[in-house]
Amino acid sequence: MTSVRHEPAGRTLWLSPVARAAGPGEVVIVLDAAWTPAPDARDGATVSMRDAVDAVLAANDPILAASDLLDEWAAASGVIGFLTVEGTSLWYLVRLREWLWLEERIIWAWVLRRLLDEHRPTAIACGAGVDAALLDVARLMAAADGLPLRLEDQRSAVRPAAPGAPGSAAGAGSAIPRTLRRIARRLRRLVPRRLPFADPGPAAAAGPAMAFMHERLARLAQETEPRLLVVMNHVPQRIDTPDGPRFMNAYLGPVADRLRGTRLEPILVDMLARRADPASIERVSGPGTDRVLSTDALTAGDRPAPAGQADEVARVVRELAAIRQPVIASGVDLGPALAAEVAATARSLLPNKLAAIARMKWLLGRLPVAGILLADEYHRQDWMIAAAAAGVPVAAIQHGLIHARHAGYAHRDRPPQLRLVDRTYVFGRWEREVLVERSVYRDDEVRVGGSPRLDVGARRPSDREAVRSELSIAAGDRLLVLSGTHGHLHRAFLYPVALARLFDRPIAGVHLVVKLHPAEIDEGPYRAVVEGVAAAGGFAPPPITVVRDVDLYRLLAAADAHLGIHSTVITEAVVVGTPNLLATASLGGDLLGWVAAGVALPVRDGGDLMRALDAAAEGAIAPAAREAFIAAHYEPGSASDRIAEDLLAWLH
């Protein structure tokens, strides 16, 4: 006789990636933050997740919460030691990644707890395609609240565990959710017995791109004067020059240009160029690229992985997975899931990084290198390990914003396994103070260099009318630039909430130009949110143009204002002289104190936006405030010259 499973009577909270009609006894939470319900659909049964996100982010700072919980976990769990290679812990390489992993789950925990408190369901259901982070939280919260959890994509119902049993929030350490265990088992089967790209054989057998790069490397290795090795890890950014548009690394490229023809004549390593990507190979094989190496050049030194390496990696992964240090957020323990995540990261990361370090050591032994120049150095521990072994000093140029909670720059303490570069060039005195006074950098490790990005764009004369014509801005309309982001959390949570508030009414006489981040590969949520809110409200949205490969500084110079939500561009707009409007819907978004410094006008809704545009046009941002901010955050003069001269005096 077949048993019949009866769900408890009451209300089911459906978590659905797409809009769907609610059935009897259901509340559907639409997880697409760009979706806005039509006015006639607002019956309380189909609800946008964005409303709950708006409420929790207005009252909580996820950056601060994730930073505090992750640092406490790292200090108590032993992860720093487990991930140490040759005296340097790769924890500081993955710290930012795991910080984002944890921040996403903290936000979901806040949101789901609010939804549960508001709707008081007797069951939770997840539709097909629900985000993995939300699934993690839903499992834990359903167990904690004693609610059945239905997973639509698996056609199954997961019953809550008894208090104290494995899988319950009250159990000792809370068992790893079954999906994570399944993923871990699959990953274990994928651990290579030797590195997947080891011992490739003769260079010629690997194809023309590989042979071409090996020949270039052999030629550069014949030089006798020690050179500066410049490691490029960023998507090139378009810069308009008198000779036409140029795509370049805006952090390191200007300094490399300045050092050409000197005794530190740069050798560039383009870490994004590889034979599997023909377009990137074109980037490193055209005119003027004779001193640029792709990752293919490094493979000439490949050898089989050392005996026992796979066993050692497996041992480390087991130790990481066994960590039971709790991480409590909204009443549930994310600690076991965090340990499983770090273990899975280590399983794939360690073999690749050990191979990369071996390659880098080989390269440094082959080339005459006086020093290495990086950006985003908190992800470059492999280069730092190789450089330390070769006795080569390492310098870095500030990447993006530095603030007191930045997971790459801000550290509570300095254990021996935390390796920092020998010299960090920051944009201004304010950033130097953050690193020396509020983080763990020593005084002699930080130099105020200025921003090389500004050398190649921000100080050029404006051609406002030409830009407006290219973008088809109507006569009399104000050009408002929104700087986008490739960050998953910001696109999923912060931007939709802010844009829904700011474009909640007709915004007359404004043309919105969305400047995508160079790493964004689609239009993101920007247009969908603005147009969706307008459609739901029965009014016309402002004209919207989405651009990516344009000169940022030329665009800012032509704009009437810049709308910032979470972007380095907020600070750069101050230098260009473009008035800033800062979205304040979320707590903790004013990372550098732009509003207090008088260089940004806070905006929370459409009314604020229109008033701020008028105020900006009337000179609400005082020149004196702008000058004081620039003096604190950007050293005057040519950053490229200053950094190049310091490198020449330092490296021999």
Side-chain angles (χ1 to χ4, degrees):
M1 181 175 179
T2 304
S3 63
V4 178
R5 175 174 291 169
H6 296 282
E7 297 292 344
R11 175 178 292 180
T12 297
L13 189 75
W14 268 99
L15 305 175
S16 176
V18 296
R20 55 180 287 176
E26 293 179 351
V27 176
V28 174
I29 308 299
V30 180
L31 303 175
D32 180 1
W35 177 79
T36 303
D40 58 0
R42 293 176 180 172
D43 56 2
T46 303
V47 181
S48 171
M49 173 268 292
R50 194 170 65 218
D51 296 335
V53 174
D54 189 341
V56 300
L57 292 185
N60 302 278
D61 184 345
I63 295 177
L64 184 60
S67 298
D68 287 346
L69 286 174
L70 187 65
D71 285 348
E72 291 167 4
W73 180 85
S77 67
V79 66
I80 296 171
F82 292 148
L83 288 174
T84 295
V85 175
E86 298 185 34
T88 297
S89 180
L90 296 183
W91 166 247
Y92 298 101
L93 185 154
V94 302
R95 182 179 181 228
L96 181 56
R97 168 196 171 108
E98 307 307 351
W99 174 69
L100 292 170
W101 182 97
L102 182 59
E103 183 181 355
E104 184 174 13
R105 282 153 181 79
I106 289 171
I107 294 173
W108 278 127
W110 290 338
V111 169
L112 188 52
R113 175 53 64 200
R114 180 179 180 86
L115 291 171
L116 292 173
D117 290 346
E118 179 181 355
H119 297 286
R120 300 290 181 182
T122 54
I124 302 173
C126 294
V130 166
D131 183 84
L134 178 54
L135 280 176
D136 287 349
V137 173
R139 286 188 174 94
L140 292 171
M141 207 158 277
D145 288 15
L147 298 175
L149 174 65
R150 177 176 293 280
L151 306 179
E152 184 180 65
D153 53 335
Q154 297 182 17
R155 305 287 182 185
S156 64
V158 179
R159 292 292 176 179
S168 72
S174 298
I176 300 172
R178 67 181 65 182
T179 297
L180 289 175
R181 291 199 298 270
R182 201 158 47 238
I183 292 171
R185 286 195 297 270
R186 291 173 185 167
L187 286 170
R188 277 195 289 272
R189 291 195 294 268
L190 295 175
V191 175
R193 296 188 179 181
R194 58 184 260 173
L195 301 181
F197 36 64
D199 195 19
M210 179 84 77
F212 165 65
M213 276 297 159
H214 288 179
E215 291 168 4
R216 181 177 289 181
L217 172 60
R219 176 177 52 78
L220 292 171
Q222 294 174 5
E223 298 182 3
T224 57
E225 187 79 22
R227 305 303 193 184
L228 181 69
L229 194 69
V230 182
V231 179
M232 306 284 198
N233 283 85
H234 299 92
V235 176
Q237 176 179 336
R238 174 171 169 155
I239 302 294
D240 289 343
T241 73
D243 298 324
R246 179 184 176 192
F247 285 84
M248 66 184 301
N249 182 305
Y251 293 99
L252 304 177
V255 177
D257 286 350
R258 169 64 179 76
L259 286 169
R260 288 196 173 92
T262 71
R263 63 176 179 79
L264 289 180
E265 181 78 43
I267 298 172
L268 279 56
V269 182
D270 188 334
M271 299 299 292
L272 299 183
R274 50 185 58 87
R275 56 179 168 157
D277 179 8
S280 70
I281 291 299
E282 287 183 19
R283 187 172 69 236
V284 299
S285 59
T289 63
D290 59 313
R291 302 187 66 80
V292 182
L293 301 174
S294 74
T295 53
D296 294 326
L298 280 67
T299 61
D302 279 352
R303 298 294 181 271
Q309 178 173 290
D311 291 340
E312 179 64 14
V313 169
R315 180 191 64 78
V316 171
V317 171
R318 287 195 301 272
E319 290 177 333
L320 292 169
I323 293 173
R324 285 296 177 267
Q325 180 65 28
V327 178
I328 306 300
S330 296
V332 297
D333 184 7
L334 296 171
L338 176 58
E341 155 65 16
V342 175
T345 297
R347 188 181 300 280
S348 60
L349 174 84
L350 283 174
N352 291 330
K353 284 303 174 185
L354 292 171
I357 292 166
R359 287 177 169 181
M360 293 164 186
K361 287 179 178 179
W362 176 85
L363 183 71
L364 294 178
R366 189 88 192 277
L367 293 173
V369 178
I372 299 174
L373 183 64
L374 308 165
D376 190 16
E377 70 277 11
Y378 40 85
H379 286 146
R380 308 279 88 83
Q381 274 78 8
D382 45 6
W383 280 104
M384 287 190 267
I385 292 170
V392 173
V394 182
I397 293 175
Q398 175 182 335
H399 173 252
L401 296 177
I402 287 181
H403 54 85
R405 291 171 288 166
H406 191 296
Y409 289 111
H411 302 282
R412 292 184 176 185
D413 50 30
R414 187 167 176 166
Q417 301 97 327
L418 169 58
R419 186 179 295 279
L420 302 176
V421 297
D422 301 286
R423 190 162 295 187
T424 300
Y425 295 102
V426 296
F427 296 165
R429 292 179 284 108
W430 191 92
E431 286 73 17
R432 184 183 189 280
E433 182 178 339
V434 169
L435 295 188
V436 174
E437 301 297 331
R438 304 178 68 180
S439 186
V440 298
Y441 289 70
R442 294 193 296 266
D443 185 77
D444 63 345
E445 292 174 331
V446 185
R447 296 282 195 280
V448 178
S451 172
R453 293 181 67 179
L454 301 185
D455 292 346
V456 294
R459 300 185 176 100
R460 290 195 312 272
S462 169
D463 49 357
R464 174 183 171 88
E465 293 308 316
V467 173
R468 291 175 61 88
S469 176
E470 292 166 12
L471 296 173
S472 301
I473 309 298
D477 276 4
R478 289 184 280 198
L479 195 171
L480 176 63
V481 172
L482 168 69
S483 49
T485 178
H486 70 297
H488 166 65
L489 294 188
H490 303 111
R491 284 164 55 115
F493 298 116
L494 299 183
Y495 275 72
V497 164
L499 292 174
R501 282 182 168 273
L502 294 171
F503 292 90
D504 63 350
R505 66 200 70 191
I507 306 295
V510 172
H511 191 124
L512 180 65
V513 174
V514 180
K515 169 60 178 76
L516 298 176
H517 187 280
E520 288 187 88
I521 59 174
D522 57 36
E523 281 203 354
Y526 318 109
R527 185 193 301 274
V529 173
V530 174
E531 293 182 347
V533 169
F539 56 85
I544 302 173
T545 300
V546 180
V547 297
R548 187 183 71 168
D549 293 329
V550 301
D551 186 299
L552 169 65
Y553 309 111
R554 183 169 177 259
L555 179 61
L556 286 174
D560 293 278
H562 167 250
L563 175 58
I565 295 176
H566 187 94
S567 174
T568 312
V569 182
I570 301 170
T571 297
E572 292 175 320
V574 180
V575 178
V576 176
T578 308
N580 270 313
L581 314 182
L582 179 66
T584 58
S586 301
L587 189 67
D590 193 354
L591 296 171
L592 269 63
W594 294 293
V595 172
V599 296
L601 304 176
V603 289
R604 186 171 179 83
D605 57 26
D608 284 351
L609 180 63
M610 294 302 292
R611 287 187 291 272
L613 283 168
D614 291 339
E618 295 167 2
I621 296 178
R626 176 175 169 265
E627 292 168 7
F629 186 89
I630 292 172
H633 290 273
Y634 290 108
E635 192 71 2
S638 170
S640 305
D641 287 348
R642 184 179 301 109
I643 295 171
E645 289 166 5
D646 191 76
L647 289 169
L648 285 165
W650 173 40
L651 301 175
H652 301 283

